[in-house]
Amino acid sequence: MNSLGTDGGGAAHNTAYNTVSGDAVIVGPVLMAQHIEGLRMPDRAPDAPPSQGPPPSRVFVNRTKELAGLRDAAVALAGEPEPGMLLVVGVGGVGKTALVAQSVRRELKQLFPQGQLYVDLEDLRRDGVVDLAAVLGRFLRALGVSKDYVPAGLAECTALFRSVAAGKRLLVMVDNAQHAPEARALVPPQGLLVVIARRVLPSLLMDGAVLIGVDPLDEAAGTELVRRWHADADEETAADVVRLCAGHPLALRAAVEWLAARPHLTLDDVVRDLTAAGRSGAGDAGVREGRAAAMGASGGPQEDGGGVGEAVDAVLDSVVAEVSEHTRKLYELLGILPGTTATTDLLRATGAVRVDEALGELVSSRLAVLVESPDRPRRCRLHDVARSHARLRARALPESGRRSVLRLAVDFYRDAAAHADALVLGDRFRIQPPPARPLSQLSAKEPLFVGRSDALDWLDAERVNLEYVVRTAAEHEWYEDVWRLCESLWALYHSRKHLADCVATGRLGIEAARHEARPDVEIRMRNQVARAAYELGDLDHADAELAAAADLLGPAAEPRLNGVVWETRGLIALAREQPDEARELFERALEANRAVPDPHGVVVQSYNVGQALVAGGRWTAALDVLDAAADVARATGDAPMLPRIGLVRARALAGLGELDRAVAAAVAAADGAAEIGQLAKFDQALALLASLAERAEEEPLRAAYVEKLRALRQSMGLKPPADGTG
């Protein structure tokens, strides 16, 4: 028996020792017991079920047949042990989402009280492809899972979603689905999936989905809706408006809201205006031209063409022609900007004026919507039908004007991402200069972000927009902006493990570096891609990128570039269970950072050397390196590295059989990780302490740490395995 802190006598569990090499005042079982008593666990995730989705409109007419179909199908499917599926189909803006929102309020919320989840896939669609891992990540966070425990890969996110959602009868609403696989991936383990799409997805019907068609309003229903909005309207004039709008609810709403803002006019004026717009065949010059191509490019349906699409365009032309000038310019600006959403800070940075007033006018006209998001600040986007229209209008603007807007957007995101990177990863080695503008100049009211966690959340919330901006910069041959953005985005990709995104944008960064004849930048970009490939398990791809980077090392004057390549090669060697080779590579990286000198780089590479030595069973040598690294980290205020160093020290001490000191190191690592919110390291420290107690045959202490580990994971919204250590 190898008890902790004992001399083999009968008083093992009452024995305490003084400090050993500065590790702790008390070691062994007493230290573990006191640590367990004093552990402060993170706040438990709220138990309230999510209630997502757009709010239902108070004015809602007809749709009796569709509502009954939704209700009857949902009731029937809710009683089944397997998840059910509804497919709600209609042209853009016809009221599909409003119909589902009404059904949720009236019946579906009661059928699925354990939670309602909603996502608009347009917010996460890039080049026609949806980031399903990001969708599932949102769902997991809504179900109470801490962002620190949300995996990066789709397979891992899917597995965790099915685990967390098991036993819950959930209603999952997926808006703007274009393809069956992207909807099918979001089916809950139990409950109901409601898919909202512009066209029928036949393979979902083959999967058993119940089809609910949503057509434009007929004359009677449309007339009733217009007269509810505009009580003084006579029936004949209201019917004319319905006919001119092709029964399209979005167009009807936009037309009547336009009138509501002009009390000196009547519904007859609306009819005359829409009739004139229809006769012209197009509103502003060039808006109609290329409609089908623009719809395809924006991810919109080709089915929206024809009478309904032309009627909607005519209404939108009329509405936009009559709004205030600053609102019209904001509408066209939103048609130019890359990405899917926009904040008021971005809009101001790209030249918009009176932003709050203009945005309010667009939202009240139902041309723009506020995006549901837990992050700050709030985001908006154009309604998907209005977005296609705005893009067409933007095409008619001078090329120089569009280019100027995009230039300002790239500048905004380049500087903001650089500030976020600095907060997230601190004083790391960077090639790019600091941003020209201070963070305070990028926002009109409150700062974009404050502190590391806030900056990382901002990067994550803007991830889709940032990747659109990188591509926009590449298309316009703004190569320096491309690689600077890519370098800053490492803070996001490394921290939140968006590894496939890192590979995709990294390719653009490599091309940008080559266009600029910057071998130093190309080395950095290739190393980032290699690190992502390494973490994805594609070691051959990582090797190929590093080989190409190594060919460029000669002309590069910065020694840390050698260091980053050697570090990644060392990580690959560790993954291939080649600890001696890994150690040699890490030691070369360490010397490169000492030559600068770069204190943070020295700490990181010393930590890596220590890992390699532990992997090779060289415990004493590892402790020497790790102790020196900890001294530098303390002296330079590099607090995030201390828990990581402590965990490796604990493993080295355990390898030497010094379990008392191993416990002390693991306790310090656990407390340090908890204090600065490194929940993943806190998790690892608790698991290590449970393992050390088990090794010393201290079953009560092992059980206590296992319970703390289970409590941690449950507080983070997870369902831990039965033994609590997996």
Side-chain angles (χ1 to χ4, degrees):
M1 175 175 174
N2 189 8
S3 296
L4 298 175
T6 73
D7 58 3
H13 296 284
N14 298 315
T15 303
Y17 286 82
N18 292 327
T19 300
V20 179
S21 301
D23 286 306
V25 176
I26 303 173
V27 293
V30 175
L31 174 59
M32 296 184 88
Q34 290 184 350
H35 182 243
I36 292 169
E37 288 294 323
L39 267 177
R40 178 176 174 81
M41 305 297 289
D43 293 334
R44 187 176 179 83
D47 292 329
S51 181
Q52 298 182 343
S57 172
R58 296 182 62 184
V59 180
F60 192 82
V61 302
N62 202 277
R63 302 300 192 196
T64 304
K65 176 183 175 183
E66 293 90 339
L67 283 171
L70 272 169
R71 180 196 63 234
D72 294 345
V75 169
L77 293 170
E80 297 291 331
E82 297 298 319
M85 192 185 308
L86 297 178
L87 178 59
V88 181
V89 175
V91 297
V94 79
K96 304 182 296 296
T97 304
L99 173 71
V100 172
Q102 284 291 328
S103 184
V104 170
R105 180 180 67 83
R106 297 183 186 191
E107 294 102 9
L108 299 190
K109 191 168 186 176
Q110 289 71 39
L111 287 172
F112 303 96
Q114 291 178 293
Q116 301 93 46
L117 300 169
Y118 172 86
V119 64
D120 187 334
L121 296 185
E122 283 303 296
D123 295 337
L124 294 166
R125 194 181 300 282
R126 292 165 293 171
D127 298 331
V129 179
V130 172
D131 186 346
L132 292 171
V135 176
L136 288 168
R138 289 185 178 187
F139 286 176
L140 287 167
R141 290 193 293 274
L143 291 169
V145 177
S146 167
K147 57 180 175 287
D148 298 273
Y149 284 83
V150 174
L154 177 57
E156 294 84 357
C157 274
T158 300
L160 184 57
F161 175 65
R162 299 194 69 78
S163 173
V164 171
K168 298 179 184 288
R169 302 193 69 82
L170 297 174
L171 172 65
V172 178
M173 295 163 280
V174 178
D175 210 342
N176 278 310
Q178 291 184 17
H179 310 288
E182 64 192 22
R184 192 180 289 119
L186 304 175
V187 177
Q190 290 180 282
L192 181 67
L193 176 71
V194 178
V195 181
I196 305 170
R198 293 190 183 184
R199 60 185 180 86
V200 174
L201 304 176
S203 61
L204 292 187
L205 298 181
M206 295 176 66
D207 290 345
V210 177
L211 179 63
I212 307 292
V214 184
D215 297 321
L217 295 170
D218 60 25
E219 184 174 303
T223 300
E224 180 186 352
L225 184 60
V226 170
R227 296 184 73 185
R228 283 200 185 185
W229 285 331
H230 194 68
D232 296 336
D234 67 80
E235 189 168 336
E236 183 177 350
T237 307
D240 287 341
V241 174
V242 174
R243 175 179 50 79
L244 289 165
C245 292
H248 197 289
L250 177 67
L252 287 170
R253 178 118 195 182
V256 177
E257 295 228 9
W258 173 85
L259 178 61
R262 295 159 181 80
H264 60 289
L265 300 179
T266 68
L267 205 60
D268 289 319
D269 295 299
V270 175
V271 172
R272 281 193 292 271
D273 193 60
L274 292 178
T275 301
R279 286 173 180 165
S280 71
D284 294 346
V287 170
R288 291 294 174 276
E289 185 178 354
R291 170 182 168 80
M295 291 297 290
S298 65
Q302 302 303 320
E303 293 84 350
D304 273 7
V308 173
E310 291 175 3
V312 172
D313 276 354
V315 173
L316 296 179
D317 285 340
S318 299
V319 171
V320 173
E322 295 296 332
V323 298
S324 54
E325 182 180 1
H326 55 276
T327 301
R328 183 165 60 254
K329 288 184 176 179
L330 181 63
Y331 183 76
E332 292 169 348
L333 177 64
L334 287 167
I336 298 172
L337 289 174
T340 58
T341 62
T343 63
T344 55
D345 290 317
L346 172 64
L347 296 173
R348 291 188 181 95
T350 49
V353 297
R354 300 168 68 179
V355 173
D356 291 331
E357 180 183 337
L359 188 57
E361 192 171 1
L362 290 179
V363 171
S364 67
S365 300
R366 299 305 188 272
L367 297 177
V369 296
L370 296 176
V371 178
E372 281 196 14
S373 175
D375 55 74
R376 174 183 64 80
R378 298 188 72 181
R379 304 173 190 283
C380 70
R381 65 169 174 81
L382 292 175
H383 188 284
D384 49 355
V385 174
R387 179 163 43 192
S388 298
H389 179 259
R391 285 174 175 167
L392 285 171
R393 291 182 65 91
R395 286 187 180 187
L397 298 175
E399 170 63 24
S400 60
R402 297 199 304 274
R403 186 179 178 88
S404 176
V405 167
L406 293 173
R407 177 68 265 177
L408 291 170
V410 170
D411 289 346
F412 172 84
Y413 276 114
R414 183 200 61 227
D415 288 350
H419 281 294
D421 169 31
L423 284 171
V424 173
L425 293 182
D427 190 25
R428 71 168 177 132
F429 163 56
R430 296 175 179 85
I431 296 177
Q432 65 178 299
R437 291 178 288 182
L439 184 59
S440 60
Q441 289 186 9
L442 298 177
S443 56
K445 298 178 181 178
E446 58 185 353
L448 290 179
F449 35 78
V450 179
R452 179 186 184 278
S453 178
D454 204 18
L456 186 54
D457 286 345
W458 181 88
L459 285 169
D460 215 351
E462 290 279 10
R463 178 162 62 102
V464 173
N465 292 334
L466 283 161
E467 289 167 10
Y468 271 110
V469 167
V470 171
R471 288 202 293 272
T472 297
E475 290 165 2
H476 286 79
E477 300 181 354
W478 298 330
Y479 296 123
E480 181 178 351
D481 300 290
V482 172
W483 68 257
R484 287 178 66 173
L485 280 160
C486 289
E487 185 178 43
S488 297
L489 283 171
W490 177 249
L492 169 65
Y493 296 150
H494 176 65
S495 301
R496 292 283 166 85
K497 304 305 178 187
H498 299 305
L499 304 172
D501 292 346
C502 183
V503 172
T505 56
R507 302 308 308 173
L508 295 176
I510 291 168
E511 290 302 316
R514 298 180 75 175
H515 277 289
E516 291 220 311
R518 290 288 303 268
D520 56 339
V521 173
E522 186 176 348
I523 292 168
R524 189 61 184 263
M525 296 294 100
R526 288 191 181 276
N527 184 71
Q528 288 187 184
V529 173
R531 284 291 294 270
Y534 151 75
E535 293 197 44
L536 287 167
D538 191 351
L539 302 186
D540 291 339
H541 182 189
D543 275 336
E545 293 293 346
L546 293 173
D551 290 341
L552 301 168
L553 284 174
E558 169 57 62
R560 284 172 292 184
L561 286 172
N562 293 273
V564 297
V565 173
W566 291 329
E567 177 189 17
T568 306
R569 281 185 158 172
L571 292 171
I572 293 171
L574 267 185
R576 288 177 169 152
E577 299 183 353
Q578 299 167 340
D580 290 338
E581 181 180 343
R583 175 185 53 78
E584 292 176 4
L585 289 161
F586 290 142
E587 285 176 344
R588 293 170 71 183
L590 175 59
E591 290 308 312
N593 281 275
R594 281 176 173 160
V596 176
D598 182 338
H600 175 69
V602 167
V603 173
V604 171
Q605 300 312 327
S606 298
Y607 163 78
N608 284 331
V609 171
Q611 288 197 98
L613 289 167
V614 168
R618 299 178 61 182
W619 320 114
T620 302
L623 288 173
D624 291 341
V625 172
L626 293 166
D627 287 343
D631 289 341
V632 175
R634 293 188 191 96
T636 58
D638 201 347
M641 286 302 299
L642 289 172
R644 301 173 67 183
I645 293 169
L647 284 171
V648 182
R649 285 190 73 250
R651 294 187 180 102
L653 289 163
L656 287 170
E658 298 186 27
L659 298 190
D660 284 339
R661 296 180 66 200
V663 167
V667 163
D671 291 341
E675 183 176 352
I676 62 177
Q678 287 185 350
L679 296 180
K681 295 300 175 186
F682 187 29
D683 186 304
Q684 291 175 26
L686 293 177
L688 178 57
L689 283 163
S691 174
L692 290 172
E694 181 177 20
R695 177 172 167 180
E697 301 180 23
E698 297 285 354
E699 178 54 31
L701 293 174
R702 188 203 71 83
Y705 273 112
V706 166
E707 183 55 37
K708 288 295 183 183
L709 188 59
R710 290 176 61 84
L712 171 66
R713 295 181 183 179
Q714 287 177 328
S715 73
M716 295 298 100
L718 302 181
K719 291 183 176 180
D723 65 0
T725 60

